[in-house]
Amino acid sequence: MLGKITGQRLLLAKMHIANYVLSLENQAGAVAIDHVVRNINDEFKLVDFDHVGTLAQDVSALCEAIRTQQVASIDRGGYWKFRALSAIDAKNELARELSALGG
């Protein structure tokens, strides 16, 4: 294994799986999320066998959040102003990222 995904990247990974599940649901009408997540895990070995149920619960919760979202868009410029980091915060972020690459 190359490493672990944690934090925001983990949330994004789960969101990608949830979007895949919702795409299947749109095509088929209904999907057993637990079954889909187990099949994905069998193929890609994302988590240990004893954590597959928990991953499926997380994906299910994200599917529900995506289904029920009410805000359809936000202003890109405003978002990037919100995301803007001070020089100190940017350096700390860089240090965290570099440390994560180191192992």
Side-chain angles (χ1 to χ4, degrees):
M1 181 183 286
L2 295 174
K4 301 267 185 199
I5 297 174
T6 60
Q8 184 178 5
R9 288 186 179 97
L10 175 60
L11 181 57
L12 288 172
K14 290 178 189 178
M15 286 175 47
H16 286 301
I17 296 168
N19 282 322
Y20 172 73
V21 168
L22 291 172
S23 178
L24 291 177
E25 187 178 85
N26 285 337
Q27 291 177 17
V31 171
I33 295 173
D34 203 48
H35 177 73
V36 172
V37 171
R38 285 183 192 284
N39 285 340
I40 291 170
N41 195 66
D42 286 347
E43 183 174 350
F44 296 101
K45 310 293 187 239
L46 303 173
V47 296
D48 293 333
F49 178 77
D50 55 334
H51 290 104
V52 177
T54 305
L55 177 61
Q57 288 175 348
D58 289 353
V59 169
S60 181
L62 284 167
C63 286
E64 186 60 25
I66 292 168
R67 276 189 212 104
T68 61
Q69 68 183 345
Q70 295 179 31
V71 175
S73 66
I74 60 174
D75 180 68
R76 182 182 303 209
Y79 173 73
W80 286 110
K81 282 191 257 180
F82 164 75
R83 286 282 298 154
L85 299 174
S86 70
I88 293 170
D89 290 338
K91 184 173 183 205
N92 290 338
E93 177 78 14
L94 175 61
R96 279 193 299 276
E97 293 297 330
L98 293 175
S99 293
L101 290 174

